[in-house]
C-alpha cells in the first residue's frame, strides 16, 4: 500500500486512550499488523496502548501518539516515575522542564529524584524577562519564526554551573530540543541528558547529532508506521525519508 491512501485507514477517536496501563495479557494483539492502537511496551513489561494517527501529508504512514495532558493522572504519574528511574543514575542537581507538555512530567521526575522544586522553561515572555535568556524555536508544529523559549531571570542562579537534565514528553524530529539544550549550555549548565517518555521513530538522531542523541533517554519507543491492507506495520524507514 502506498502513501496515496485516500480514506481514513484504521483510525478512531482517542477519548479512551492513555487512561490505563495494561498487563501484556490484557493488551490484546501485540504483534503487527495493528489496527487502531499500537502497544507500547514499558520497562516493567506492561503495555500502554497508543492511538495510531494517519499522517495528513503522507496518508500511507502513521505515528502512535501520546498526549499526556489527556492521560489519567495515575498513568502520567507512572510514566514520570519510570523516566525518573532512567535518569537517577546521572544524579542531576536540577530538573529542567520543557514547554509545553514536558511540564507535566518534570515535577514528577523532580519529586521522584528527591528534589523540592524544578525549573520550568516557557514560551510566554513576561515583561521582566531578558532576551539574553531566550532562544528561538522552530518546529514542525511551529514553523513560523518568532517563537522563543525563555528562562525566567529569577531562576538563573538555579541553573548556572549546575548538572541538569532536560525533561520533555516526547521527541519526534528533535527540532524543539535544540533551542533549550543550547540555551542551558550557553548559561553555564552541564546538560547530562534529555529525558522523554516517548521516543518516536529515529528521525531525531540526525537533528540532534551523535553526541546529543547518545544522551537522549526514553521510557519507551514508538515506530513510524506504514499502511497495509490489514492495518499498520512498522515502517522500515524510521528516519522518515
Amino acid at each position: 500500500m502506498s502513501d496515496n491512501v485516500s480514506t481514513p485507514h484504521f483510525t478512531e477517536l482517542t477519548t479512551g486512550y492513555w487512561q490505563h496501563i495494561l498487563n501484556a495479557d490484557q493488551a490484546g494483539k501485540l504483534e503487527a499488523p495493528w489496527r487502531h492502537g499500537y502497544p507500547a511496551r514499558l520497562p516493567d513489561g506492561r503495555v500502554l496502548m497508543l492511538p495510531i494517527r494517519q499522517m495528513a501529508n503522507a496518508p500511507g504512514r502513521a505515528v502512535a501518539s501520546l498526549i499526556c495532558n489527556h492521560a489519567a493522572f495515575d498513568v502520567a504519574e507512572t510514566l514520570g516515575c519510570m523516566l525518573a528511574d532512567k535518569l537517577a543514575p546521572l544524579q542531576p542537581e536540577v530538573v529542567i522542564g520543557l514547554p509545553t507538555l514536558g511540564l507535566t512530567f518534570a515535577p514528577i521526575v523532580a519529586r521522584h529524584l528527591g528534589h523540592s522544586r524544578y525549573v520550568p522553561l516557557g514560551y510566554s515572555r513576561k515583561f521582566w524577562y531578558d532576551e539574553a535568556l531566550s532562544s528561538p524555536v522552530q518546529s514542525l508544529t511551529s514553523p513560523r519564526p518568532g517563537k522563543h523559549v525563555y528562562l525566567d531571570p529569577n531562576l538563573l542562579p538555579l541553573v548556572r554551573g549546575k548538572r541538569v537534565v532536560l525533561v520533555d514528553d516526547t521527541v519526534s524530529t528533535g527540532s524543539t530540543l535544540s533551542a533549550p539544550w543550547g540555551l542551558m549550555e550557553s548559561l553555564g549548565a552541564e546538560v547530562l541528558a534529555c529525558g522523554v517518555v516517548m521516543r518516536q521513530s529515529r528521525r531525531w538522531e540526525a537533528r540532534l547529532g551523535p553526541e546529543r542523541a547518545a544522551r537522549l533517554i526514553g521510557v519507551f519507543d514508538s515506530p513510524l508506521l506504514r499502511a497495509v491492507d490489514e492495518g499498520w506495520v512498522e515502517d522500515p524507514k524510521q528516519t522518515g525519508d
Side-chain angles (χ1 to χ4, degrees):
M1 186 172 291
S2 73
D3 280 353
N4 297 319
V5 178
S6 58
T7 58
H9 185 71
F10 292 105
T11 57
E12 64 181 359
L13 292 175
T14 62
T15 312
Y17 282 90
W18 316 298
Q19 303 308 302
H20 306 283
I21 294 176
L22 306 173
N23 294 324
D25 59 358
Q26 298 174 309
K29 190 172 183 290
L30 296 178
E31 304 303 325
W34 303 287
R35 293 295 179 96
H36 299 97
Y38 171 76
R41 306 188 194 206
L42 303 182
D44 63 3
R46 291 185 293 166
V47 172
L48 179 64
M49 295 301 299
L50 303 176
I52 294 174
R53 294 186 183 274
Q54 193 173 8
M55 292 182 175
N57 62 345
R61 285 181 169 180
V63 292
S65 68
L66 170 67
I67 303 180
C68 60
N69 61 359
H70 292 194
F73 296 140
D74 61 336
V75 170
E77 182 76 21
T78 297
L79 295 175
C81 290
M82 287 179 171
L83 180 55
D85 289 340
K86 294 271 189 178
L87 296 171
L90 300 175
Q91 298 183 319
E93 296 174 276
V94 180
V95 173
I96 310 288
L98 304 189
T100 300
L101 295 181
L103 302 182
T104 297
F105 292 115
I108 299 171
V109 170
R111 285 199 311 268
H112 196 66
L113 293 177
H115 298 186
S116 61
R117 68 187 300 176
Y118 78 105
V119 172
L121 302 184
Y123 291 137
S124 175
R125 189 193 190 287
K126 311 302 182 185
F127 69 85
W128 63 90
Y129 279 16
D130 183 345
E131 287 296 324
L133 303 183
S134 73
S135 183
V137 175
Q138 189 168 356
S139 70
L140 290 178
T141 55
S142 302
R144 295 182 180 178
K147 185 175 183 179
H148 284 66
V149 62
Y150 294 93
L151 173 71
D152 188 316
N154 296 288
L155 301 179
L156 180 58
L158 302 180
V159 169
R160 180 167 285 159
K162 303 297 185 181
R163 291 161 44 87
V164 309
V165 291
L166 310 178
V167 170
D168 208 349
D169 61 330
T170 67
V171 62
S172 179
T173 65
S175 58
T176 58
L177 288 184
S178 297
W181 200 316
L183 176 62
M184 290 299 101
E185 290 181 337
S186 74
L187 298 178
E190 179 185 358
V191 179
L192 304 173
C194 178
V196 298
V197 170
M198 181 175 74
R199 296 185 298 194
Q200 189 181 77
S201 77
R202 310 300 295 183
R203 292 175 291 176
W204 45 270
E205 290 180 332
R207 182 61 181 261
L208 293 181
E211 194 273 333
R212 284 183 176 176
R215 289 185 279 156
L216 199 289
I217 295 173
V219 174
F220 64 82
D221 295 294
S222 72
L224 285 178
L225 305 171
R226 64 178 177 86
V228 296
D229 289 340
E230 300 82 8
W232 299 95
V233 297
E234 189 168 337
D235 192 328
K237 297 180 179 180
Q238 289 301 306
T239 60
D241 298 332

